[in-house]
Amino acid sequence: NPPISGVVMATDCTISLLILQDRDMNLQRIERDLAHLPVEKASTQKKMADLEAEIVEGKQLVKELEVRGKMIETEIGDVEQQLLKYKNQQLLVKKNDEYQALTHEIELTQAKISDLEEKEIELLYELDEVRKNQGEDEAVCCKRIKVEKRFLGRLDEKEANLKSEIDTARQALAEVEASIGKPMLSVYRRVSRGLKFPIIVAQKDAKCQGCHMRVSSSVEVEVMKGNEITTCDNCGRILYFDA
């Protein structure tokens, strides 16, 4: 980057530019923080939604197991009715082969009832464990939701504070801009495009304190004179002399 020069630069002008930079940086910080707040809020709200969904999912699992339990209970009742029917039929038959056939059906039905009862017991144990875990998980989720809600509240406070600060910051920046000559302000704005702050840095030991590279001899001399705005011939930042 070729150095910029030609605009008169006195010590008080250097101070004014440094103040301008400070207020410019402050305004940009506020604008940047405000722009980032929706992202932070959305992230926090998603965390809360995910935690609430986790609670719903846990309750849904308990409900599904309870429904399965009711279905098994109903099936056991139906099979017991069928068993009673077979036993009543057995009392009425007179032929041995019919009696034996019903005995076989009774045995199969009793085995089916036994299997269903085992499933019911296993399900009850599972349901107890799931209810316990769901209760513990829900308590943890509720605590985390409260934490996220508090954080969301702090973000709302931060947004309100930043919105109240931004007008003051803009006014403060405008006041400094008005006190600086247009040629100097034009150089500042031109230099600030495409560079990260700070854009006004010291030249110390013939090095730019922005890019930390050695400046050319001509730039070094001009900065030491302090008669006009001079920029680093490496990074383009405005330099002032620091003995």
Side-chain angles (χ1 to χ4, degrees):
N1 297 320
I4 297 173
S5 61
V7 179
V8 175
M9 177 82 159
T11 302
D12 57 343
C13 293
T14 303
I15 295 171
S16 295
L17 282 176
L18 287 169
I19 294 171
L20 173 63
Q21 173 176 255
D22 181 68
R23 294 187 180 180
D24 204 357
M25 289 172 65
N26 183 52
L27 177 58
Q28 290 194 27
R29 175 192 62 79
I30 294 170
E31 291 174 338
R32 184 173 59 250
D33 288 349
L34 272 172
H36 188 62
L37 273 174
V39 178
E40 288 187 274
K41 284 186 175 183
S43 175
T44 303
Q45 288 165 343
K46 185 180 183 304
K47 288 178 184 177
M48 290 169 60
D50 289 345
L51 289 167
E52 287 168 355
E54 191 174 331
I55 292 173
V56 171
E57 186 178 344
K59 288 181 177 180
Q60 184 62 33
L61 178 58
V62 171
K63 187 176 180 180
E64 288 173 2
L65 290 175
E66 288 174 343
V67 169
R68 280 172 56 191
K70 290 289 184 182
M71 290 175 64
I72 292 174
E73 186 179 338
T74 300
E75 190 175 358
I76 289 173
D78 292 342
V79 177
E80 284 177 340
Q81 288 295 320
Q82 186 63 48
L83 177 63
L84 182 61
K85 182 180 177 181
Y86 286 146
K87 285 183 177 181
N88 289 334
Q89 286 178 347
Q90 196 177 43
L91 294 174
L92 299 175
V93 298
K94 296 179 179 179
K95 295 181 179 180
N96 186 57
D97 56 342
E98 292 178 349
Y99 186 89
Q100 293 300 325
L102 286 169
T103 298
H104 180 66
E105 291 297 330
I106 289 170
E107 290 173 351
L108 289 175
T109 306
Q110 287 174 330
K112 187 174 183 180
I113 291 171
S114 180
D115 288 342
L116 287 170
E117 287 174 341
E118 284 184 14
K119 287 180 180 179
E120 186 178 32
I121 291 170
E122 289 175 2
L123 182 61
L124 288 173
Y125 279 120
E126 183 182 357
L127 184 55
D128 285 343
E129 186 67 21
V130 169
R131 278 176 177 156
K132 178 185 174 183
N133 293 338
Q134 190 274 328
E136 292 173 353
D137 291 345
E138 183 173 348
V140 171
C141 286
C142 286
K143 286 181 180 178
R144 289 173 61 189
I145 288 171
K146 286 181 180 179
V147 171
E148 296 299 336
K149 279 184 177 179
R150 286 198 296 270
F151 181 66
L152 192 60
R154 288 197 293 272
L155 289 178
D156 288 336
E157 289 177 10
K158 182 179 179 181
E159 183 177 25
N161 291 334
L162 289 171
K163 284 181 177 179
S164 68
E165 290 175 16
I166 195 165
D167 289 336
T168 304
R170 284 171 178 161
Q171 183 179 349
L173 179 61
E175 287 173 358
V176 180
E177 286 178 335
S179 68
I180 295 175
K182 287 185 178 180
M184 190 176 294
L185 185 60
S186 176
V187 172
Y188 173 86
R189 288 303 178 201
R190 185 160 71 252
V191 171
S192 66
R193 287 196 293 269
L195 281 176
K196 291 183 178 179
F197 283 109
I199 60 170
I200 304 171
V201 296
Q203 172 188 287
K204 189 172 184 179
D205 298 328
K207 287 185 179 179
C208 168
Q209 298 304 298
C211 64
H212 304 288
M213 295 183 68
R214 190 174 188 85
V215 298
S216 65
S217 298
S218 60
V219 168
E220 180 185 3
V221 171
E222 289 302 320
V223 173
M224 290 176 70
K225 287 180 181 177
N227 294 328
E228 57 186 32
I229 290 181
T230 307
T231 58
C232 173
D233 47 1
N234 296 303
C235 68
R237 287 177 170 86
I238 296 172
L239 299 172
Y240 65 90
F241 183 64
D242 182 356

